[in-house]
Amino acid sequence: MKKWASIKNNLPAILFLSIIAGAWEAAVRLLALPAHILPSPTAIVMALIESFPLLAMHTRVTFTAVLGGLALSILLSLLLALAMDRWKPLKQALYPILVISQAVPIFALAPLILIWFGAGLLPKVLIVTLVCFFPLTVNLIEGFSQVDPEAVDLMKTMQAGQLMILRSVQIPSTLPYFFSGLKIAATYSVLGAIIGEWLAARAGLGIFMLRSMHSFRTSQLFASIIVVVILSLILFKLVELTGKLAMPWHKNTQENFKG
Amino acid sequence: MTGTGLLELKEVSSSYYSGETLLPVLDNVSLKVGEGEFVSLLGPSGSGKSTVLKIAAGLLEPDRGRVIYRGRDVTGEPRRVGYMPQQDMLFPWKTLAQNAALPLLCAGSGKRDAAARVEEMLPLFGLEGFGDYYPYQLSGGMRQRSALMRTMLIESNLWLLDEPFAALDALTRENLQGWLLRIWERFKGAVLFVTHSIDEAIYLSDRVYMISNRPGRIILEEVINLPRPRPRQVITTAQFAGYKETLLRTLAGEGY
């Protein structure tokens, strides 16, 4: 029932995409556009199939940097948000800097990181971290500040220690904020890794894109776009699923409210 | 019963800032709760009743006055006490059983011991078979019983209950009042019970303090000499009506 409903909901979008692809295919054939300007959808699918082994290898490299960066940014933002929640002066000192740091374009910072750390995995991980760190930290800070003081009071009347309060109240009540930050971070993360690869790397989807571009293999460029989209979607869904598993109460209450 | 004081508030005053203006909440409130005694604090909404409980629990420091617990000055000192805030405060991320086990875990019990203890208490609170339910899956009455169960498991001989039945429909409310009396007679803790219902205060209590509109002052202390255990029918007796009249008259004197 539920599966069918979700297919039914997506039907208009699928239909619309098919129409566009059909029109695209027809236009390329009728106008006889050269493949390096605009390849037809079938040519793109062919390119996807032909360069699959190569694409898979580059995707693995990019994915490693993405996962590394996400993990590092989760760890850093958790520590920083906790520290800022505990010591208000730290929050007052750092919060404006955090916001300002987001005004510096990542394209300007990335070259610096590459100069300092070379062209391996580490600089890419750091760039992903830079991109993902902000939405995570801001959401976590918001989450910690929304913890109900009455809940903390109640824990005090049970003589609960700091760690117990953190575990039983602060962390669970912050989880929804954490996961909405992580959803944003996950979608940014692939972008971050590819930017790093554009600037300097030996392998990765960014490198594949650069090489395709330089050799005017436009169909391969489109194929890599499809891979990037799929990669981002998988990450997003993965975060969503983890969130549902980690917060059974949250998913259920949401469904309840929807009726 | 009032002789051996378990908890005593001595001339407590409290206020808070609302923006720039200082709002007085409590004005010179003194009250006593004896060992095993059921005491109600009755007053209109916004009269600072919840503030009295918070001060009694040591969660809030009064501007003036002292809180004495078992002969010791514990003003502004959070300590182990069966405090039940106005919203039931069951954590939505924990099941009923996990919520109820929390005070035991805080007191250093092992997970398994705590779970066993909770399991054994569930029937007494009419919650058998509901241990694995999340709070949103429970009815209002069940939530209040769960919160009371958690409060009992804090294992203090003093319970501070903040309008536990205020949000319930009239029938569930009457039902839970009778049930609370049975639980109390069994556990024999002292209760400081905040309510804005005159009938509820008389039916439950050994003694009723009436608090005025903000800033709250104690305007009446009335000993309720109805027999225990108290059947529901006691509310139709002349004696009950007499108490009710006294309390209503005091309220009328305050302009209600």
Side-chain angles (χ1 to χ4, degrees), chain B residues 125-244:
Chain B
F125 288 79
L127 295 166
E128 199 168 13
F130 288 99
D132 292 333
Y133 282 54
Y134 282 103
Y136 77 89
Q137 296 169 306
L138 303 172
S139 70
M142 290 171 91
R143 290 178 65 118
Q144 294 305 319
R145 289 204 300 269
S146 311
L148 272 165
M149 176 168 163
R150 180 189 57 198
T151 311
M152 314 278 115
L153 286 169
I154 294 176
E155 291 186 338
S156 155
N157 49 359
L158 175 64
W159 307 335
L160 307 170
L161 310 180
D162 195 352
E163 303 201 32
F165 307 140
L168 302 174
D169 64 88
L171 283 178
T172 311
R173 187 177 177 138
E174 283 179 14
N175 183 11
L176 284 189
Q177 287 166 357
W179 170 85
L180 175 66
L181 280 187
R182 288 195 296 279
I183 294 279
W184 169 71
E185 274 153 16
R186 182 178 167 136
F187 286 80
K188 277 292 164 212
V191 180
L192 181 54
F193 187 95
V194 161
T195 178
H196 59 240
S197 155
I198 293 181
D199 287 26
E200 187 170 76
I202 301 170
Y203 174 57
L204 295 175
S205 315
D206 296 316
R207 214 144 43 80
V208 176
Y209 286 101
M210 191 176 261
I211 189 168
S212 72
N213 217 348
R214 184 172 291 185
R217 286 169 295 109
I218 300 292
I219 50 176
L220 180 75
E221 180 187 347
E222 184 77 11
V223 177
I224 310 290
N225 271 321
L226 295 171
R228 300 236 188 227
R230 259 174 221 175
R232 189 77 212 163
Q233 295 83 292
V234 82
I235 65 169
T236 58
T237 59
Q239 209 183 350
F240 191 96
Y243 288 125
K244 191 164 175 175

Side-chain angles (χ1 to χ4, degrees), chain A residues 148 150 157 159 168 249 252, chain B residues 54 79 81 89 92-93 136:
Chain A
D148 192 340
E150 290 267 358
T157 65
Q159 297 274 281
S168 305
W249 74 88
N252 290 336
Chain B
K54 278 193 182 164
R79 61 189 190 284
V81 61
M89 270 300 148
W93 46 84
Y136 77 89

Side-chain angles (χ1 to χ4, degrees), chain B residues 51-127:
Chain B
T51 309
V52 171
L53 282 200
K54 278 193 182 164
I55 289 173
L59 295 169
L60 196 70
E61 190 148 7
D63 299 345
R64 262 175 296 114
R66 291 188 300 146
V67 181
I68 312 291
Y69 181 66
R70 298 185 165 244
R72 206 163 67 80
D73 188 335
V74 292
T75 317
E77 239 178 71
R79 61 189 190 284
R80 175 181 292 272
V81 61
Y83 171 58
M84 178 171 163
Q86 202 164 4
Q87 305 83 2
D88 57 47
M89 270 300 148
L90 292 171
F91 298 148
W93 46 84
K94 287 183 181 291
T95 61
L96 194 177
Q98 288 169 338
N99 267 295
L102 207 52
L104 297 171
L105 296 177
C106 288
S109 286
K111 255 201 166 131
R112 196 175 281 188
D113 288 347
R117 186 73 206 289
V118 168
E119 195 60 43
E120 164 191 313
M121 295 273 276
L122 284 172
L124 184 60
F125 288 79
L127 295 166

Side-chain angles (χ1 to χ4, degrees), chain B residues 13-27 51 63 214-216:
Chain B
S13 296
S14 180
S15 56
Y16 75 95
Y17 275 100
S18 165
E20 291 290 293
T21 45
L22 189 67
L23 288 180
V25 182
L26 297 178
D27 180 18
T51 309
D63 299 345
R214 184 172 291 185

